[in-house]
Amino acid sequence: MGALSHIRVLDLSRVLAGPWCAQNLADLGADVIKVERPGAGDDTRHWGPPFAKDVQGKDTDESAYFICINRNKRSITIDIAKPEGQEIIRKLAVESDVVIENYKVGGLVKYGLDYESLKTIKPDLVYCSITGFGQTGPFAHRPGYDFIVQGMGGFMSVTGEADEFEGASPQKAGVAFADIFTGMYASSAILAAIIHRDHTGEGQHIDMALLDTQVAVMANVASAYLTSDELPKRWGNASATIVPYQTFPTSDGWMIVAAGNDSQYRHFVTVGGEAHLADNPLYASNPLRVQHRKQLVPLLEAMTRKKTKVDWITSLEKANVPCGPINNMKEVFENQQVIARNIQTNVPHPTVGNMKLVASPMKLSKTPTEVRMAPPTLGQHTNEILHDRLHLDEEAITKLRSKGII
């Protein structure tokens, strides 16, 4: 039994931030019902290739994108544009603790499915809205996309190679950074609202915005600007305040060295046969190494090119110098630590057979997360939910299906 096994969530969200939030709650045990459009479903069902393959090796309709954010959920298809569909949503909301949605601001008002409408029939409802720019402000009605928010929120201004490198330019993250962090913050906000409800009986509206989140997770970079009024710049894989703390070339690839103090730096250059670089007064302390970065780093790169990646990492680990490889995804899932932590898991799926998933990283000693269900096929649980939650019989369900409402 998960920590949230007593919580029911109605997930009206699509794509990434909302589904990521709902999946976190589902991993913790919540019963999450994912509402999708009849015939089409969540947009991410079609975001491929790649698609998962069946036992014969043929592509199924299950996209890798959809798979990564919808485990442990049940899928019901409902046309919310129709009054009968709206009524089903309202009835499900009354039976739920939490509603999550990521429609445009005001988009659910015309259906009577916005917070103000639903709280009249469910006063203790926790209702979480996720948008690009929030429910207020001059940009509230703009569509929000992760890529754009990464730029607007300052992330891309400090991500990418430094300007002195040829071809240097701002870069986005390799994953949808703003979306995922917004989903994580939304999960925390929902849990806080549930605790408040349990103490007071009051529900509330949670207003989550990608831009707010992106600015918040700039962390020390944002704080440095507010403290100094100096614009931070891009450093690529280097650190603005620590040297050496970056990627280095080896004879057969790249590695990361993160020498956070003078002792670790000395061990690094000693392992490389260049102990004199620790004795040199220009490089004797971290502030001096930062000051003379342009002279020092080429010397270190010449040193690291003399050995293989494996030789370097083996030697540096023995010398207690923080270091690591830059793994591709194959190497990630073959890593002995990743294997030992059971980060990959397999689960039965009706069309794929054995589906490979990334497990939740949350490890609770008393109420552990678990993969109870594979990501659902479109509408897989429609009949089950309507029968169990709303007590509709087969005749009523068949009638709704014939009208295209489900």
Side-chain angles (χ1 to χ4, degrees):
M1 298 291 287
L4 301 182
S5 59
H6 61 298
I7 298 298
R8 291 177 170 181
V9 177
L10 186 61
D11 181 12
L12 305 181
S13 67
R14 303 91 66 209
V15 188
L16 183 51
W20 191 269
C21 168
Q23 181 172 265
N24 286 334
L25 302 176
D27 286 346
L28 290 166
D31 179 10
V32 176
I33 294 176
K34 181 177 180 65
V35 178
E36 302 189 68
R37 292 173 296 169
D42 190 315
D43 291 342
T44 61
R45 286 188 180 274
H46 314 287
W47 287 8
F51 294 91
K53 298 185 183 301
D54 62 18
V55 291
Q56 282 79 39
K58 297 180 180 179
D59 280 350
T60 65
D61 294 330
E62 313 304 320
S63 75
Y65 204 116
F66 180 87
I67 288 169
C68 83
I69 45 178
N70 287 292
R71 64 177 175 262
N72 285 335
K73 303 178 187 179
R74 296 190 289 167
S75 171
I76 183 172
T77 51
I78 303 174
D79 185 352
I80 69 169
K82 296 180 178 179
E84 298 95 328
Q86 296 158 19
E87 184 60 21
I88 292 173
I89 296 294
R90 279 189 281 272
K91 290 179 178 178
L92 288 173
V94 169
E95 296 292 318
S96 300
D97 301 281
V98 178
V99 169
I100 302 170
E101 61 90 9
N102 63 350
Y103 284 77
K104 291 180 181 178
V105 173
L108 291 176
V109 173
K110 62 183 177 181
Y111 303 129
L113 302 177
D114 58 302
Y115 174 64
E116 294 300 324
S117 298
L118 292 183
K119 79 171 184 178
T120 62
I121 59 174
K122 177 74 172 174
D124 65 346
L125 182 66
V126 173
Y127 189 105
C128 181
S129 297
I130 300 175
T131 58
F133 302 99
Q135 302 293 305
T136 60
F139 296 172
H141 287 86
R142 289 189 184 184
Y145 294 93
D146 176 274
F147 189 4
I148 294 171
V149 168
Q150 285 191 36
M152 291 181 69
F155 179 79
M156 291 176 62
S157 74
V158 295
T159 305
E161 289 291 358
D163 283 331
E164 58 261 30
F165 287 89
E166 183 178 354
S169 67
Q171 295 290 318
K172 68 179 181 66
V175 295
F177 184 83
D179 269 321
I180 290 172
F181 265 98
T182 303
M184 296 301 296
Y185 270 104
S187 303
S188 296
I190 287 169
L191 294 177
I194 289 172
I195 293 171
H196 175 78
R197 181 209 63 180
D198 290 348
H199 283 301
T200 67
E202 296 177 332
Q204 61 181 297
H205 188 198
I206 299 168
D207 174 9
M208 295 297 309
L210 269 66
L211 182 60
D212 297 357
T213 299
Q214 180 61 83
V215 176
V217 299
M218 292 306 292
N220 60 298
V221 173
S223 181
Y225 169 71
L226 293 175
T227 301
S228 67
D229 287 331
E230 294 181 6
L231 289 175
K233 62 180 183 178
R234 299 191 310 275
W235 286 96
N237 290 319
S239 166
T241 57
I242 308 172
V243 175
Y245 196 96
Q246 64 184 79
T247 55
F248 284 99
T250 69
S251 64
D252 63 350
W254 292 84
M255 67 172 176
I256 299 167
V257 175
N261 58 48
D262 297 340
S263 175
Q264 291 171 349
Y265 167 69
R266 176 173 289 279
H267 290 318
F268 174 37
V269 294
T270 300
V271 167
E274 304 287 349
H276 65 95
L277 292 176
D279 298 324
N280 189 317
L282 292 178
Y283 315 133
S285 69
N286 183 68
L288 288 169
R289 291 192 293 275
V290 171
Q291 181 181 345
H292 298 101
R293 171 197 308 267
K294 289 185 178 180
Q295 299 100 301
L296 176 58
V297 169
L299 299 176
L300 297 178
E301 290 177 337
M303 176 186 76
T304 59
R305 285 191 175 97
K306 296 177 182 179
K307 297 182 183 180
T308 67
K309 178 171 64 175
V310 171
D311 286 344
W312 266 113
I313 291 173
T314 301
S315 299
L316 291 177
E317 286 181 344
K318 289 180 180 178
N320 294 317
V321 177
C323 63
I326 300 174
N327 289 334
N328 59 36
M329 293 313 299
K330 181 176 185 294
E331 292 168 327
V332 168
F333 287 106
E334 291 176 349
N335 183 280
Q336 59 182 345
Q337 182 66 15
V338 172
I339 293 170
R341 297 287 289 175
N342 298 312
I343 295 176
Q344 179 186 324
T345 188
N346 299 337
V347 62
H349 186 274
T351 61
V352 175
N354 181 42
M355 179 176 279
K356 298 177 182 178
L357 299 176
V358 178
S360 170
M362 296 181 284
K363 300 189 183 299
L364 290 75
S365 64
K366 297 296 185 182
T367 54
T369 63
E370 62 176 334
V371 178
R372 305 182 305 280
M373 295 179 287
T377 57
L378 180 59
Q380 179 180 345
H381 306 96
T382 299
N383 286 22
E384 173 186 309
I385 293 167
L386 292 176
H387 181 268
D388 294 348
R389 284 285 185 90
L390 304 187
H391 309 295
L392 298 185
D393 59 24
E394 289 302 319
E395 182 180 353
I397 293 172
T398 299
K399 187 175 181 180
L400 288 170
R401 198 176 296 280
S402 67
K403 290 182 177 182
I405 295 165
I406 60 174

